[in-house]
Amino acid sequence: MSDAVPGSPAAPAPDSHPGAPAAPSSPAVPAADSDPSRTATPARPAPAAPAASAQAVAPAPAHTPADRPQPLHEPDPYSTPPYGGPGPWAPAPPVQHPGTTPAHGTPTPGAAPAAPGAPTPWQRYDPWSAAPLQQTGAAVETREQRRKRGRRALVAGAAFIALVAGGIGGAVGAYLEREGGIGGGGVELPQAGAESHTRPKDSVAGIAASALPGVVTLHVRGDDGSGTGTGFVLDGKGHILTNNHVVEPAGTGGEISVTFSGGETARAKVIGRDSGYDLAVVKVTRVRGLKPLPLGNSENVQVGDPVVAIGAPFDLANTVTSGIISAKERPITAGGEKGDGSDVSYVNALQTDAPINPGNSGGPLVDSKARVIGINSAIRSADGGSESEGGQAGSIGLGFAIPINQGKRVAEELINTGRATHPVIGVTIDKRFTGDGARIASKSQNGGPAVTRGGPGAKAGLRPGDVITEVDGRPVHSGDELIVKVRAHRPGDRLELTIERGGDERTVTLVLGSASGD
């Protein structure tokens, strides 16, 4: 290449206009992307034009070789570079800038300020600006980091697989349970396992378990009809206590069959009975393993105490019902079907709401310790009448039991003598009197004196027409109630009676006499 002559046109600028003619005397400089096999000879730079020239001469445009077309777009900084050229990831050489700005924007002394509007050749990071940081490259992971990342990925994968498997298993299990298993097998419902049969002794179940072995069911047949009732064992000799109206159909030549709770049966015969108390005793023989029920004390019973009734309502043997003592000393009368009053029973009863129905008659009413405190005898029917359970009235929660203290005395007399004695005051009561209290009649039913000569009433000074209003301080409202209160005692007991005579009230004391029952 020849050197430029002073005063001649200056060497063409590399970015001159392509339309200008090229200088013929200046050979073309090889392009950077020409054949790499050839060695490019660096062009000698032309001397600069004198600064003192009077007129600036426009530089001649550079000639663009025909084999180097201009690109239609900006080159991709991340594309593959020409062979031998640096890539975009290579570190850029340090650039010297004419005017640098130190920290906090203070210009460097002596540096020339940048021209207004001139592009900044280097974008600097201002630590105090609000612009977010941008990472242009990822740090290289160490082996430990790669191992931890692998473990995390393994755990996450295992958890996902377990979750999916659990969902699938639950869905399959629910389907099999709903459809009855594989192959359409039978449905098996959940059920509680076996448990102990032992129950607390004071629970209904515990009371029933203790008392049932001593309870029997009676089937009676005779000329006067047939019936079913209940009884309970009194002792090891085979004595069984029940109601008189249960065995009455057997008469003198009927048949009585006793069935125990375990299913054993035996024949029984009547030892004694009393219609006034509605009690009877039968006896079985040649029976082993008898379970007598313990007797309680009806004087200890209080209203609200829990009780259990056992019997065979409507011939349903070993039926257990429970309730409470609703009241004490309820004066009731039962029977009276014969019309002459010989079958009427007078009971100063215990009232209970334990369901009692026909067939419960003669069965035990027991307390929380499985001790007998009463003998189930009568119920109040829905039509308002009181009747023994020989009828077919159903329970409405008003049941009555003979107190065991009275039942014990009568049972002992029936076993020992075959008959029971009744306490009496030796007067005849006027049943037509409708006032409050019990009035002594003017004469007896057979036309004799109403006050028996030498009897307890006569000795106490009672007269015909006297109205008895209280017994031992408790009111009396009718003649039947007076009989009930008297029969609640034993012969020989001392009673205090309050009477009205001619508008005056007085108190007398007498000792009960004895009369033989039926």
Side-chain angles (χ1 to χ4, degrees):
M1 296 177 59
S2 60
D3 296 337
V5 180
S8 61
D15 292 336
S16 61
H17 189 5
S25 61
S26 299
V29 179
D33 56 352
S34 59
D35 189 357
S37 61
R38 294 180 299 173
T39 303
T41 305
R44 181 180 301 174
S53 58
Q55 183 178 359
V57 179
H63 175 70
T64 301
D67 58 348
R68 189 177 182 182
Q70 294 295 322
L72 298 178
H73 56 81
E74 292 296 329
D76 186 0
Y78 297 97
S79 62
T80 304
Y83 180 82
W89 53 84
V95 180
Q96 299 294 333
H97 297 282
T100 59
T101 303
H104 309 295
T106 304
T108 304
T120 303
W122 180 60
Q123 183 66 39
R124 292 176 303 277
Y125 165 64
D126 185 2
W128 304 101
S129 67
L133 295 176
Q134 294 183 354
Q135 186 175 0
T136 58
V140 178
E141 292 182 340
T142 65
R143 177 179 300 178
E144 183 64 22
Q145 289 176 331
R146 287 196 301 271
R147 185 180 297 108
K148 291 182 179 180
R149 181 163 57 86
R151 284 198 296 265
R152 287 196 297 269
L154 182 61
V155 172
F160 176 75
I161 294 174
L163 180 63
V164 172
I168 296 175
V172 172
Y175 172 80
L176 293 178
E177 181 179 0
R178 183 177 64 251
E179 299 298 330
I182 301 175
V187 175
E188 184 175 352
L189 301 176
Q191 184 180 22
E195 297 178 352
S196 173
H197 293 173
T198 303
R199 295 292 183 270
K201 292 183 178 181
D202 58 349
S203 66
V204 175
I207 295 170
S210 178
L212 273 171
V215 181
V216 299
T217 302
L218 287 81
H219 294 90
V220 181
R221 291 186 298 272
D223 295 337
D224 296 335
S226 62
T228 301
T230 308
F232 58 94
V233 180
L234 291 173
D235 54 28
K237 297 179 180 180
H239 293 107
I240 296 171
L241 183 62
T242 186
N243 281 140
N244 175 69
H245 71 263
V246 171
V247 300
E248 190 173 17
T252 57
E255 181 181 330
I256 302 176
S257 175
V258 174
T259 303
F260 294 87
S261 62
E264 304 88 349
T265 60
R267 294 290 182 90
K269 65 177 182 178
V270 177
I271 298 299
R273 60 192 184 93
D274 186 277
S275 61
Y277 290 114
D278 193 22
L279 292 172
V281 174
V282 300
K283 184 178 181 181
V284 295
T285 57
R286 300 177 182 177
V287 177
R288 296 181 180 179
L290 295 174
K291 303 292 184 181
L293 292 185
L295 304 182
N297 189 334
S298 51
E299 293 296 331
N300 297 333
V301 175
Q302 298 298 319
V303 175
D305 285 348
V307 290
V308 172
I310 304 176
F314 300 102
D315 203 15
L316 299 173
N318 303 325
T319 295
V320 177
T321 56
S322 65
I324 62 170
I325 295 294
S326 304
K328 296 175 60 178
E329 299 183 358
R330 288 293 196 201
I332 65 167
T333 59
E337 286 81 7
K338 291 183 178 181
D340 58 0
S342 62
D343 62 337
V344 177
S345 59
Y346 300 88
V347 179
N348 201 29
L350 298 173
Q351 180 183 327
T352 179
D353 65 349
I356 298 174
N357 288 286
N360 277 105
S361 293
L365 184 70
V366 300
D367 61 10
S368 59
K369 296 183 179 180
R371 300 174 302 193
V372 180
I373 58 173
I375 302 100
N376 302 320
S377 180
I379 61 175
R380 178 71 67 174
S381 60
D383 61 1
S386 179
E387 58 186 86
S388 64
E389 294 181 316
Q392 293 299 309
S395 173
I396 59 172
L398 294 175
F400 303 95
I402 300 170
I404 193 58
N405 288 14
Q406 181 175 329
K408 175 180 179 294
R409 179 183 69 83
V410 173
E412 289 172 347
E413 291 183 345
L414 293 176
I415 293 172
N416 295 328
T417 67
R419 300 178 70 90
T421 59
H422 299 169
V424 295
I425 61 176
V427 298
T428 301
I429 301 299
D430 184 3
K431 295 296 186 70
R432 294 175 298 179
F433 179 68
T434 58
D436 191 41
R439 189 175 68 180
I440 300 175
S442 58
K443 59 182 179 180
S444 66
Q445 294 178 348
N446 57 12
V451 180
T452 305
R453 295 184 179 94
K459 293 179 180 180
L462 296 180
R463 300 177 183 178
D466 288 348
V467 178
I468 302 173
T469 59
E470 293 181 0
V471 174
D472 288 339
R474 297 181 181 180
V476 172
H477 303 288
S478 66
D480 287 345
E481 189 170 346
L482 175 63
I483 297 173
V484 168
K485 290 187 178 297
V486 169
R487 289 196 177 179
H489 293 79
R490 293 172 178 266
D493 289 349
R494 185 179 297 272
L495 294 184
E496 185 178 85
L497 304 180
T498 301
I499 64 172
E500 291 181 358
R501 180 185 297 170
D504 295 332
E505 185 176 274
R506 63 184 64 189
T507 301
V508 299
T509 302
L510 57 80
V511 177
L512 292 175
S514 177
S516 178
D518 299 336

